Amino acid sequence: FQAEDGIRDKLVTGVQTCALPIYFKDLALRVPQVVKATCTYTSTAIGASVTVYGVPYQSDYLGTASTSIDVPTIIQDDIVTYFEPRTMVGASVGAASSIPLIGVNVTATVYVKDGYVANWVATAASDELDKFFEFDSVVFNQTLSVGQLYRAIQNIEGVDYVVISTFQKDGVTNTSMSPITSGDTSLFKKGTVSIGTSGGITGTFS
């Protein structure tokens, strides 16, 4: 296969080694059951080492309380088997046994326009935030800004304006509300999300 031969040539000759992780990420998606992938690459005087982080599909990602995704042994073995013949002599390829997950905590107060039911608007805001943390939405080395959340909530019908008072990764204070990044080998997940309302029609509705 021409593309793979080209990758092998780069590995053998040492040309463009800084770009190797990109090639490994792309190829890892060809391994059965791997739907997201990244890798780390380390070069030394005696060889090179690549660790592939291959993620299987997660059906209940929004509801997970875990801090990591376990990668089944069969997928780890398939990754190594796939890459070994495509790797230069002296280099090693391994597969990560788990993928770290980083919870994102959000606290928001939604100010509801007159004539709109506060609970319904809050539910719509929660649904919009969930979209950021669905399995199909998260990627490795992802950057998320508070502005993205503001825009998502502000566009909901019935929202006058919104104030986000907490936007941070688990265990990391972010008083400046600066953008947050998941990191090269981690994925964001939904952390503690709290949405309050002010104004609008309150009470219990069926």
Side-chain angles (χ1 to χ4, degrees):
F1 182 72
Q2 185 176 359
E4 292 178 6
D5 289 343
I7 293 165
R8 185 178 301 145
D9 289 343
K10 288 184 174 64
L11 286 167
V12 172
T13 61
V15 177
Q16 296 183 347
T17 53
C18 62
L20 289 177
I22 298 173
Y23 295 112
F24 273 88
K25 293 175 190 178
D26 291 342
L27 286 180
L29 296 176
R30 300 184 183 185
V31 177
Q33 300 186 66
V34 173
V35 295
K36 296 180 189 290
T38 192
C39 69
T40 56
Y41 173 77
T42 304
S43 180
T44 67
I46 60 174
S49 174
V50 177
T51 301
V52 179
Y53 294 74
V55 188
Y57 181 75
Q58 304 294 299
S59 60
D60 187 27
Y61 191 72
L62 270 177
T64 185
S66 178
T67 57
S68 64
I69 296 173
D70 292 330
V71 181
T73 301
I74 188 172
I75 295 180
Q76 296 178 52
D77 292 343
D78 285 347
I79 289 172
V80 173
T81 299
Y82 182 82
F83 279 106
E84 278 184 338
R86 296 169 172 82
T87 306
M88 63 179 277
V89 175
S92 63
V93 176
S97 60
S98 63
I99 310 299
L101 301 179
I102 300 175
V104 178
N105 303 324
V106 179
T107 302
T109 301
V110 178
Y111 291 80
V112 182
K113 292 179 180 179
D114 292 342
Y116 287 85
V117 178
N119 286 344
W120 295 354
V121 174
T123 297
S126 179
D127 290 345
E128 284 299 313
L129 292 185
D130 280 354
K131 292 178 182 178
F132 288 98
F133 306 110
E134 293 172 347
F135 182 70
D136 289 341
S137 299
V138 298
V139 295
F140 288 106
N141 201 28
Q142 181 175 6
T143 297
L144 189 62
S145 72
V146 70
Q148 292 173 268
L149 307 191
Y150 268 112
R151 286 190 292 273
I153 297 175
Q154 194 66 56
N155 285 333
I156 297 170
E157 184 177 359
V159 172
D160 189 7
Y161 64 97
V162 58
V163 174
I164 297 177
S165 54
T166 301
F167 172 67
Q168 61 190 34
K169 297 187 287 187
D170 274 340
V172 181
T173 302
N174 185 23
T175 55
S176 65
M177 297 289 178
S178 57
I180 57 177
T181 303
S182 64
D184 292 339
T185 60
S186 301
L187 296 172
F188 280 143
K189 71 164 188 171
K190 182 180 179 181
T192 301
V193 176
S194 176
I195 298 177
T197 59
S198 179
I201 301 172
T202 60
T204 303
F205 301 87
S206 57

